[in-house]
Amino acid sequence: MNSPDRRILISELCNTLENYMSKGQIEGVYQAYIVAATAHDGQYRQSGEAYVFHPISVAMILAELKLDYYCIVAAILHDCIEDTSVTYEQIKRDFGDEIAHIVEGVSKLTGLEFHSNTDKQAQNFRKLFLAMSDDMRVMIIKLADRLHNMRTLGSMRRDKQLRIAKETVEIHAPIARRLGLNSIRVELDNLCFAIIYPFRNKVLVNQIKKQCGNRKKIISHIQTEIKNRLDQKGMPNADINGRKKQPCSIYRKMKIKHLKFSQVLDMYALRVIVADVAQCYQALGIIHNLYKPLPGKFKDYVALPKLNGYQSLHTVLFGPNKIFIEVQICSSDMHFISEYGIAAHWHYKSNSNHKSELANNWLGSLLDIQQNSGTSIEFLEETKADLFPSKVFVFTPEGDIIQLPYKSTVLDFAYMVHTSIGNHTLKAKVDQVNTPISTELKSGQTIEVITDDRATPRSSWLQIAITVKARSSIKAYLKNESAAELIQLGEYLLTNALDYQNIDTDGIDEAQWLACLKALNCDSKEDMYMKIGLSEILVSVALNKLQGDNAKYAAQKISIHKTQGKAISFAHCCHPIPGDKVTGVLTTSKGMVIHRVICANLVHAKNKNAQWLNIDWQADKDEEFKAMIAVDVANQRGTLASIASVISKMNINIEHLEIQEKDNFIKSLNMVISVANITQLNEVFVQLKTLEFVRDVSRV
């Protein structure tokens, strides 16, 4: 690996490429350098260095991963379209479609900044993953680009260094980990750690150097002993190499497990590389016979691989002089994947397609999130959650292993098996015991999901599911189910606004509708109605587009007569009923939510710039609505029965009841009742106040 602050020359890059590329391909790389050097002539980085050294350094990072010709050339040209006069057509003409396509993909991501407001950050993050889904090499180049930028942060102000480092820890390093790009991930983590915690990094580097220096002879002795024992047992070709643990990983372990530096046992790791899977387990037995293993420290990532494809057997040995050493045992193929990750698919030695599966499953889940996420912020949060490795391994009744994130539930398991099973989950058996679908799972459990065609997703399931696949599937189902109601609500709101303006909908010709739909970027009237119902399009904007550019109308008040069958709901915070002064707030998930004008949550919604409309509400006679009241009564026997009797005689249902002790003499009955309107509620107040033990009746 090259020194972070050293300038890389094109001759050094070509020398590295000679190890695995043909002479013709290297000449193509040099030609790309000529184009980039000419295009970037006169451009300099903040450090004062000529700009062209940056794309050469990015290409060198990828050359050390032995990536293919197309990726190396694209890395050299990756800033040309964005920052110079070189065009996509020129690159396509000189270097071909594939390279031009990759360069264009990286160019679309150039300048993405994640430090602005949350929504802009989320939108840029969404662009990043959409580009990655088109060609994974776009992301690999982007990660190499970020790595070189991290290596050269020294010329920037401290505040910029911190911002970029924190962004890298949150976004880029987890992506590199998920894609198995170990060398890039490790260096990103350590560079970020050194910038964010410079003093802690300095202390840990000195301690690691001191400890490993003192134990160098013993570690070398252990390495030799293991090599000799494997030779004796018929594995003379086993390769053993060692490495020190990095400051960042040691700090993370100390922080998570609340350890002192002296309590971190496995400061040094040996990697044993053998021929195949069988020899992995054979070598494990041989090594455990040589040195005693530490109980509880064995991990089998061969049988249960990590999501990024990593496979290895991990064990911690109790060596001489009370030294603990971690040993990782893997086959040569496993070692190859652990070193190169998803980059193995474009590696010069790769001649198969199966390695691309390391990322395809994840990309598939990302595309599901992209399609089903209501907002970019939602996409950002759910994807971040999906970047971290699984912690729970459970089994189907057939014995298949399912990997799930920590704290996953039975419902998450059902969706992981198949979306249709998740959508019709009724209950489940965990280790043959009937279990609710909200139960958190533990490794080693066997789960049997019981389905029913009549069982369908409910909004409450979103409180149970934690995996991206489950949550996106539930949201997609709920969105499809509520589509008809949202369309009806949008049409109702627009028609009502037109009536308020005394505009006859029959008088709007087809040309006006088409112009309106085009201006609002809608495929059809139904699409527009749904977007109005979801508050993605303001009613006033749609109305103005229908009337032409000169129209200036802001929808302020609408009339509502019937709420059933339209995506209209009533706020539980204030329980509005007909006769109240109310306001409707259009949301991106529930359609319209009606609040009383005195509701504190309505003020909060208005302050957040939500779209709201004053409502003239005349409900149908057969509709009933919930109202919450508080009845303060003397603390004596029979009060609850008397109140229930009065309410029952008025043909009113009590939906919910809570009793609160105020003091030794007074208690408060908080109840939700169903009434038709404010008039009927006032009658309830009058009848309750006739009871001699009732001290006060009020609306909550």
Side-chain angles (χ1 to χ4, degrees), residues 178 301 305-307 388-393 403-406:
R178 186 60 181 265
Y301 294 120
K306 293 184 179 181
L307 285 181
F388 296 92
S390 293
K391 296 289 185 183
V392 178
F393 300 89
Q403 301 184 36
L404 292 164
Y406 180 60

Side-chain angles (χ1 to χ4, degrees), residues 378-500:
E378 187 178 307
F379 176 77
L380 171 65
E381 294 306 317
E382 293 194 349
T383 307
K384 280 182 185 178
D386 199 44
L387 279 172
F388 296 92
S390 293
K391 296 289 185 183
V392 178
F393 300 89
V394 292
F395 298 89
T396 67
E398 291 75 28
D400 296 328
I401 298 171
I402 302 291
Q403 301 184 36
L404 292 164
Y406 180 60
K407 290 196 172 183
S408 290
T409 63
V410 168
L411 189 59
D412 292 306
F413 171 86
Y415 275 103
M416 192 62 70
V417 174
H418 199 281
T419 303
S420 63
I421 292 177
N423 282 341
H424 298 292
T425 298
L426 181 64
K427 56 184 179 179
K429 290 184 177 181
V430 175
D431 293 334
Q432 300 298 314
V433 177
N434 287 329
T435 307
I437 62 173
S438 59
T439 304
E440 285 186 14
L441 300 177
K442 298 178 181 178
S443 289
Q445 292 177 326
T446 299
I447 293 88
E448 178 186 355
V449 177
I450 299 167
T451 61
D452 190 311
D453 289 341
R454 292 169 293 182
T456 55
R458 299 187 293 274
S459 58
S460 60
W461 284 15
L462 292 171
Q463 307 300 317
I464 298 172
I466 71 160
T467 60
V468 170
K469 181 176 181 181
R471 291 179 62 82
S472 61
S473 298
I474 294 166
K475 287 178 182 178
Y477 185 93
L478 294 175
K479 186 175 181 180
N480 290 336
E481 286 294 298
S482 62
E485 289 188 1
L486 288 168
I487 290 170
Q488 193 173 359
L489 172 64
E491 183 178 11
Y492 186 84
L493 293 173
L494 183 58
T495 303
N496 203 296
L498 288 167
D499 290 343
Y500 188 84

Side-chain angles (χ1 to χ4, degrees), residues 565-583:
K566 303 180 182 74
I568 298 174
S569 57
F570 305 95
H572 294 296
C573 48
C574 57
H575 291 288
I577 60 176
D580 289 329
K581 291 183 178 180
V582 293
T583 296

Side-chain angles (χ1 to χ4, degrees), residues 215-228:
R215 299 176 176 181
K216 195 170 183 180
K217 288 184 179 179
I218 298 173
I219 292 168
S220 178
H221 170 73
I222 294 172
Q223 189 170 342
T224 303
E225 284 281 295
I226 292 174
K227 175 63 177 170
N228 291 338

Side-chain angles (χ1 to χ4, degrees), residues 338-366:
S338 72
E339 289 296 303
Y340 299 105
I342 187 60
H345 183 57
W346 295 279
H347 195 280
Y348 77 107
K349 293 198 299 187
S350 178
N351 56 9
S352 66
N353 292 324
H354 77 279
K355 297 182 183 74
S356 64
E357 294 176 6
L358 295 174
N360 283 347
N361 289 339
W362 185 43
L363 285 178
S365 71
L366 288 180

